[in-house]
Amino acid sequence: MPIAKVNGVETEFEPGMTVLQVAERAGQEIPRFCYHERLSIAGNCRMCLVEVKPGPPKPQASCALPAADGQEIFTDTPMVKKAREGVMEFLLINHPLDCPICDQGGECDLQDQSVGYGRDGSRYSENKRAVEEKAMGPTIKTFMTRCIQCTRCVRFITEVAGVPDIGMISRGEDAEITTYLEKSVASELSGNVNDLCPVGALTHRPWQYHYRPWELKKTETIDVMDALGSNIRADYRGSEVMRVLPRVNEGVNEEWLSDKSRYVVDGLTARRLDRPWIRENGKLRAASWNEALDAVAAKLKAAPSDRIGVIAGDLQDAESMKATLDLFRALGSNNTDCRQDGAALGYGPREGWLFNSGLEGLEKADAVLIVGANPRTEAPLLNARLRKAWLKGDMEIGLIGEQADLTFDYAYLGAGTQTLAKLPKSALDFLTKAERPAIIVGAGALGGEGGSAVLNALGALAKTVGVVADGWNGFNVLHHAAARVAGLDMGFVPADGGLTVSEMLKPDALDVLFLLGADEVDPTGSNAFRVYLGSHGDRGAHGADVILPGAAYTEKSGLYVNTEGRVQMTERVVFPKGEAKEDWAIIRALSARVDQTLPYDTLEQLRDKLMGDHPTFGRIDYLPAPAAFDVASLGAKGDLGDRAFVSVIADPYLSNPIARASATMAELSALRTQPVAMAAE
């Protein structure tokens, strides 16, 4: 490996690294504003100046200078110090002194670096220039007078998000960052530009003036707005979650976060269920916990076991589903289902419902066939990974299903089952010739009638083209619900003779229907006594006879399994609202009233039981290794019929009860159908 000297210390580095990277490898801090390791190099800000020998006797921008064997790099000479002070002085010529009212104040790169590398005064007395604010949409608040033209936002939106809505116009003193034609940024990843902005020119509009950073306490947890399990940090003040920011996890979300995961937090306090309710004479009235639990217990004890059923929702933690499953099995019911979308999954090997290549591993694939999924709406960060691999030129992509703008080019093969039954030779060729082919199948293909036959056909195709081989498993199921894999792993599906979700919702199918956070189905067609346990007054609660208030995902510690089979744990950020309780504790209390007391009294005991029955839940933060399995055995043979594959996510911003309670999500949803600019404030 080549060797360079950094301040006299020899440092080995990999060919192709820049001087900045070599200096940081040697432990030297290099200030920067425009450079970001995940974006292309711009060399705009000139803050990363260093002295290099051999070379001209002047400071050089280390971010854009390739390192070479035998180089000597100096980061703290008088020349470097004077140059950095000069650059900082230039940057502050027009930057306003907005720190007392700026949302970035307290966590601002410009503040930190001006103290560390700037002068104690300025030689410029001219008036500062002013720049009009821009209308960039519901997530981005602009103060463009603060902008230093680092172009991080431009490069992120263009390169990572794939929606080139932001750019720079004019030159010199007239240079401005703006959106084209005053159009709002139409990206589901737009909030990341606020994180990237080093000076407070772009800040989070939904949280404007709501907090100061030093007021907040921080909890590291997991996002449940999709099935990727993005690593997040929830910041709270008092009893309210004020904001959510991404944490770095290279295997899951890198350091990005979708707008839905980031800005849905205002829905955590709206339309909340904070006390039990009982319906009497067609109207709901507030009740005590004892009244509500006794009412549910009486109905459960009176009903035959085959007339009792439970549907688990998309945001449920593994512990609540395990407790519910144990209770209903103890009651003799086989009518249990966690598949609100009706996907034909849950039987056979675990690999049959996992994203087997892994999210990061998918980037190694050289041919990908997407079937019945829209990754841009169902898993935006997975879509960004696909775009990254496509940009490198190493990946061909084909699509069977709805045509959509996925931010990368793909070969459109057809709309649904007819295409799958007679796949064009070109589609087979691009998969067969690949060294690491992959198939991504979504609920749009596996749901509804014929889902099992589609799964079987995809398994046969996967076997034909070699999707599963030694050291590589490219058969990937893309889930959209955070609770789905955990439910399938523990067998939260109909047992022998049990009813599915659609069958349980028929008018006279059941006497008691228990909805465990299930809000994506319409229970009003059922004549059963309906019990809803959840956190928000949404679809499930509207037609319920008894409502039991539960905890949202930020109000409990729980296990979630993401689409690739990685078990992760959320942490409690704040306590449940009002009289609401953790879901598993409610089920445990109900079990005692129906004379089927569950064998655990604490969350730790429940987890021990869960991990004892299903050992995969004990492997926290462990990504299953690619495992070979008979992919052709998936599903059941049958007629594929004639059906178009349609994504189950009609509106990604209104796909769960928390999102539907969020004012910001409502704005983003409206923007999808009417992409007009908001008025700049």
Side-chain angles (χ1 to χ4, degrees), residues 415-439:
T417 53
Q418 293 296 298
T419 304
L420 189 59
K422 298 178 181 179
L423 206 60
K425 185 176 182 300
S426 58
L428 284 172
D429 286 346
F430 101 97
L431 287 171
T432 305
K433 293 176 182 177
E435 291 184 19
R436 292 176 299 278
I439 294 176

Side-chain angles (χ1 to χ4, degrees), residues 20-43:
L20 184 149
Q21 291 171 316
V22 174
E24 293 208 325
R25 174 170 281 201
Q28 299 297 317
E29 181 180 349
I30 305 294
R32 86 291 298 268
F33 291 112
C34 69
Y35 174 79
H36 192 280
E37 56 270 18
R38 300 186 196 274
L39 305 176
S40 61
I41 295 171

Side-chain angles (χ1 to χ4, degrees), residues 92 167 212-213 283-284 327 342 580-581 604 610 662:
L92 294 176
R212 302 298 281 176
K283 294 184 179 181
L284 289 170
L327 173 58
K581 309 290 183 185
E604 289 71 24
L610 172 64
S662 166

Side-chain angles (χ1 to χ4, degrees), residues 102-223:
C102 178
D103 278 343
Q104 197 90 321
E107 49 188 9
C108 173
D109 290 350
L110 187 62
Q111 282 182 330
D112 297 341
Q113 293 185 41
S114 63
V115 171
Y117 302 99
R119 294 166 54 92
D120 59 358
S122 174
R123 291 168 285 180
Y124 294 92
S125 58
E126 290 82 359
N127 292 332
K128 295 179 182 291
R129 76 165 186 163
V131 182
E132 287 185 0
E133 309 308 346
K134 312 302 178 187
M136 293 192 180
T139 64
I140 305 171
K141 175 62 181 174
T142 64
F143 294 89
M144 301 314 293
T145 301
R146 302 172 187 164
C147 180
I148 62 171
Q149 287 83 45
C150 72
T151 69
R152 278 187 179 183
C153 55
V154 178
R155 285 174 284 147
F156 174 85
I157 284 293
T158 303
E159 298 165 10
V160 179
V163 182
D165 285 344
I166 302 178
M168 179 183 283
I169 60 173
S170 301
R171 302 181 66 181
E173 187 181 15
D174 296 325
E176 295 183 21
I177 300 291
T178 184
T179 55
Y180 298 115
L181 303 177
E182 295 296 320
K183 175 180 175 291
S184 295
V185 178
S187 171
E188 59 286 341
L189 301 174
S190 64
N192 291 288
V193 301
N194 301 324
D195 289 344
L196 288 170
C197 184
V199 298
L202 306 178
T203 58
H204 302 281
R205 181 185 287 272
W207 308 330
Q208 184 186 8
Y209 303 144
H210 283 198
Y211 60 81
R212 302 298 281 176
W214 54 83
E215 298 175 334
L216 306 181
K217 296 182 180 179
K218 305 169 179 61
T219 302
E220 294 185 350
T221 184
I222 304 299
D223 171 61

